[in-house]
Amino acid sequence: MLTNSNQSGKVKRGFFNGVLALIILVLLGLLGYSNWQIFQRRREVKAELKQLNRKIDALKQEEATIQATLNEKDDYVVEEIAREQLNLKKPGEKVIDIKRPPQKEEEKEQQKWWQKWLKKIKFWE
């Protein structure tokens, strides 16, 4: 009987060890899969980061170009704004202000075509 109980104890230990090894392998597999997903996501983020850095560099270059253009045209732009919006002039220049004649109230008021025809007919007045 001792030998039978030793054998059943060995079988139980072997079964327990097999189940434990299987659980450890499953856990290692899950950890490996999770690690692989993180690796893939990190690769995607790095590629996106490179693309965004390229866009930033291009925008910085465009900003520098625009800034250089503004610095060249700054005096001209300021002069145009002063002339058009503030009605300023350079010494020796004459400013001519052309005013349009006031519009009739009928022209200001937008009427529909049928309202204009009714006004022309005026048979009820």
Side-chain angles (χ1 to χ4, degrees), residues 17 20 31 37-39 43 46-47 49 63 75 86 88 90-91 108 113 124:
N17 288 340
L20 186 63
L31 288 173
Q37 284 182 330
I38 291 171
F39 175 73
R43 189 182 327 163
K46 280 184 180 181
L49 182 64
E63 179 189 16
D75 293 334
L86 303 175
L88 297 178
K90 286 185 177 180
K108 286 183 183 178
W113 63 272
W124 58 88

Side-chain angles (χ1 to χ4, degrees), residues 11-34:
V11 169
K12 286 182 182 178
R13 265 189 273 148
F15 178 73
F16 178 73
N17 288 340
V19 169
L20 186 63
L22 182 64
I23 291 173
I24 290 173
L25 284 175
V26 168
L27 287 175
L28 287 175
L30 290 174
L31 288 173
Y33 178 71
S34 175

